[in-house]
């Protein structure tokens, strides 16, 4: 088998049996959709959806200095994360550019799981391994040790409760606990990328199919459907969540991306990129960089990543993500625009779609916020 052949998740045969349209994503063969993207999207917003996310990259960091290593390697204060909790953070280059955005779970006093995006998993693994030099800690590639299944949407707590005796009511957002779901040992995390309540279940690949089938059966009465990557993208777009390679890149610092809050200068000791990020924070304060905003179309034409944002015939920014929004019923986009045009309601803003300047309304992100 050539190294260029896409990798398959433990659920590959099941996706095909469900008639999924498959696509190559970051070197993995993944389900794009099973039926209608719009139906899958609306199921997650109103009922529940089931996702295979086994392409994500799990990296385990253990040892007496695991916390110290992660504090040095990442921009967040990982040492302050309690056991059983999770934190959204980033790993940056020495020059402050974003290598990836991550979720870090503290599994035990000296054990953490770092979850990287599929497209950056190797880069993150290499960076952590290199940065571990001199620390009494071990960095382990656990990508093959886990399958990851997500159940997302308002019905997801009820579906999961019927299959586990874990304390889901006590499980806060951005927390994880070990438990058993449908007889399968799992790390149950209350995290997700859809803007809805939901759970991500880390399990052994050999148990993935059994768990998927159990969730499918438990969710059938309340309208749960299998969901592909296509609706995952429109869901995160409506929720204003950044996607690496679109809103986040090595040419941007967290401050450029409006996510400076994830950088914790107050933590003890040095960390990779500290000097460059201190300078970026200062620059952002004096001279705000382009701001990440939402754009809602007045017409029907859909903006795509890379399209220019214009005002009075001048380029003022660039679209990073765009798609039709099933929830709003209109095309939407996320874009970086000059600070002068970033205020919600800024007049005269358009997107250049094949030479035609289509009018857009500037709004604050997110487009969609679930009712608690």
């Amino acid at each position: 088998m050539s190294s260029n052949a896409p990798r398959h998740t433990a659920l590959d045969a099941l996706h095909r049996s469900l008639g999924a349209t498959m696509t190559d994503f970051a070197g993995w063969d993944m389900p794009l959709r099973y039926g209608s993207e719009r139906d899958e999207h609306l199921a997650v917003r109103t009922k529940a959806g089931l996702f295979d996310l086994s392409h994500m990259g799990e990296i385990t960091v253990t040892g007496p200095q695991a916390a110290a290593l992660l504090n040095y390697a990442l921009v967040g204060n990982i040492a302050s994360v309690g056991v059983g909790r999770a934190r959204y953070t980033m790993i940056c280059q020495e020059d402050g550019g974003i290598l990836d955005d991550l979720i870090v779970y503290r599994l035990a006093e000296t054990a953490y799981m770092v979850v990287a995006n599929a497209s950056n998993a190797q880069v993150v693994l290499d960076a952590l391994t290199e940065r571990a030099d001199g620390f009494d800690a071990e960095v382990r590639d656990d990508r093959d040790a886990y399958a990851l299944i997500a159940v997302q949407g308002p019905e997801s707590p009820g579906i999961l409760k019927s299959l586990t005796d874990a304390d889901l009511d006590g499980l806060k957002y951005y927390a994880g606990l070990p438990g058993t779901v449908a007889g399968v040992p799992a790390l149950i995390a209350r995290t997700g990328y859809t803007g809805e309540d939901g759970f991500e279940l880390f399990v052994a690949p050999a148990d993935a199919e059994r768990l998927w089938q159990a969730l499918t059966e438990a969710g059938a009465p309340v309208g749960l459907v299998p969901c592909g990557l296509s609706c995952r993208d429109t869901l995160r777009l409506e929720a204003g969540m950044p996607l690496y390679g679109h809103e986040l890149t090595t040419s941007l610092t967290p401050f450029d991306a409006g996510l400076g809050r994830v950088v914790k200068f107050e933590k003890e000791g040095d960390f990779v990129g500290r000097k460059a990020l201190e300078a970026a924070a200062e620059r952002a304060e004096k001279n705000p960089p382009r701001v990440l905003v939402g754009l809602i179309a007045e017409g029907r034409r859909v903006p795509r990543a890379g399209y220019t944002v214009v005002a009075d015939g001048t380029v003022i920014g660039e679209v990073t993500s765009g798609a039709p929004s099933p929830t709003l019923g209109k095309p939407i986009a996320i874009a970086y625009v000059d600070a002068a045009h970033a205020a919600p309601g800024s007049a005269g803003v358009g997107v250049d779609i094949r030479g035609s300047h289509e009018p857009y309304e500037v709004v604050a992100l997110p487009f969609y916020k679930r009712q608690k």
Side-chain angles (χ1 to χ4, degrees), residues 337-357:
V337 303
D338 294 346
H341 293 90
S346 291
V349 173
V351 175
D352 186 337
I353 301 182
R354 297 191 189 89
S356 165
H357 291 187

Side-chain angles (χ1 to χ4, degrees), residues 102-175:
L102 312 163
I103 295 180
V104 180
Y105 297 88
R106 190 170 196 167
L107 304 177
E109 199 53 45
T110 59
Y112 295 82
M113 181 167 67
V114 176
V115 181
N117 285 297
S119 54
N120 295 329
Q122 191 62 48
V123 169
V124 173
L125 178 68
D126 292 345
L128 287 175
T129 304
E130 190 183 312
R131 295 172 190 189
D133 195 35
F135 289 93
D136 185 3
E138 184 199 347
V139 176
R140 190 173 71 230
D141 179 1
D142 268 348
R143 284 177 287 179
D144 292 337
Y146 293 102
L148 177 56
I149 294 173
V151 55
Q152 299 277 304
E155 297 286 356
S156 56
I159 294 167
L160 206 52
K161 269 182 199 171
S162 71
L163 297 171
T164 183
D165 54 9
D167 177 19
L168 297 186
D169 290 334
L171 187 64
K172 296 184 171 75
Y173 187 50
Y174 267 73

Side-chain angles (χ1 to χ4, degrees), residues 156-227:
S156 56
I159 294 167
L160 206 52
K161 269 182 199 171
S162 71
L163 297 171
T164 183
D165 54 9
D167 177 19
L168 297 186
D169 290 334
L171 187 64
K172 296 184 171 75
Y173 187 50
Y174 267 73
L177 86 174
T180 305
V181 182
V184 169
L187 171 68
I188 305 166
R190 200 164 207 152
T191 45
Y193 194 50
T194 62
E196 296 299 336
D197 191 10
F199 303 87
E200 296 185 318
L201 309 169
F202 295 86
V203 299
D207 292 331
E209 201 163 314
R210 177 177 163 194
L211 179 58
W212 180 281
Q213 298 288 25
L215 287 163
T216 298
E217 283 167 32
V222 291
L224 172 131
V225 300
C227 293

Side-chain angles (χ1 to χ4, degrees), residues 12-367:
D12 186 71
L14 196 144
H15 298 316
R16 291 169 196 280
S17 74
L18 291 171
T21 300
M22 306 297 284
T23 188
D24 176 39
F25 183 81
W28 290 82
D29 216 8
M30 297 297 293
L32 188 62
R33 72 182 75 81
Y34 298 85
S36 147
E37 286 163 27
R38 187 174 175 277
D39 290 351
E40 289 171 26
H41 179 111
L42 294 174
V44 176
R45 285 277 177 260
T46 59
K47 297 167 186 143
L50 192 57
F51 297 83
D52 178 9
L53 305 179
S54 303
H55 59 314
M56 300 295 279
E58 295 86 7
I59 300 160
T60 305
V61 180
T62 55
Q65 289 190 298
L69 161 59
L70 289 170
N71 260 16
Y72 168 72
L74 311 179
V75 301
N77 188 352
I78 308 305
S80 69
V81 178
V83 173
R85 298 307 303 263
R87 184 156 297 165
Y88 176 78
T89 187
M90 293 182 184
I91 181 166
C92 289
Q93 300 178 146
E94 198 65 68
D95 67 1
I98 303 166
L99 278 174
D100 201 13
D101 60 336
L102 312 163
I103 295 180
V104 180
Y105 297 88
R106 190 170 196 167
L107 304 177
E109 199 53 45
T110 59
Y112 295 82
M113 181 167 67
V114 176
V115 181
N117 285 297
S119 54
N120 295 329
Q122 191 62 48
V123 169
V124 173
L125 178 68
D126 292 345
L128 287 175
T129 304
E130 190 183 312
R131 295 172 190 189
D133 195 35
F135 289 93
D136 185 3
E138 184 199 347
V139 176
R140 190 173 71 230
D141 179 1
D142 268 348
R143 284 177 287 179
D144 292 337
Y146 293 102
L148 177 56
I149 294 173
V151 55
Q152 299 277 304
E155 297 286 356
S156 56
I159 294 167
L160 206 52
K161 269 182 199 171
S162 71
L163 297 171
T164 183
D165 54 9
D167 177 19
L168 297 186
D169 290 334
L171 187 64
K172 296 184 171 75
Y173 187 50
Y174 267 73
L177 86 174
T180 305
V181 182
V184 169
L187 171 68
I188 305 166
R190 200 164 207 152
T191 45
Y193 194 50
T194 62
E196 296 299 336
D197 191 10
F199 303 87
E200 296 185 318
L201 309 169
F202 295 86
V203 299
D207 292 331
E209 201 163 314
R210 177 177 163 194
L211 179 58
W212 180 281
Q213 298 288 25
L215 287 163
T216 298
E217 283 167 32
V222 291
L224 172 131
V225 300
C227 293
L229 293 180
S230 189
C231 83
R232 182 170 148 88
D233 191 48
T234 52
L235 289 159
R236 70 92 196 165
L237 182 56
E238 288 183 350
M241 294 174 167
L243 175 63
Y244 195 88
H246 289 255
E247 288 72 41
L248 310 174
T249 67
T250 50
S251 62
L252 296 169
T253 73
F255 294 94
D256 297 322
L259 290 165
R261 65 178 181 276
V262 305
V263 182
K264 303 299 180 191
F265 292 121
E266 69 277 11
K267 66 179 171 176
E268 273 179 47
D270 195 17
F271 62 90
V272 177
R274 181 192 268 272
K275 271 202 172 67
L277 289 167
E278 281 171 346
E282 210 172 300
R283 274 197 314 276
E285 211 163 297
K286 284 185 187 151
N287 182 19
R290 281 185 165 175
V291 181
L292 202 58
V293 300
L295 298 174
I296 300 179
E298 290 177 23
R300 308 301 313 162
R301 297 182 75 182
V302 179
R304 298 296 179 192
Y307 286 12
T308 54
V309 184
V310 292
D312 307 319
T314 307
V315 173
I316 58 154
E318 187 176 304
V319 170
T320 51
S321 298
S325 162
T327 305
L328 275 64
K330 296 174 177 178
I332 58 171
I334 296 179
Y336 281 108
V337 303
D338 294 346
H341 293 90
S346 291
V349 173
V351 175
D352 186 337
I353 301 182
R354 297 191 189 89
S356 165
H357 291 187
E358 302 287 327
Y360 274 74
E361 181 192 353
V362 179
V363 297
L365 292 169
F367 299 97

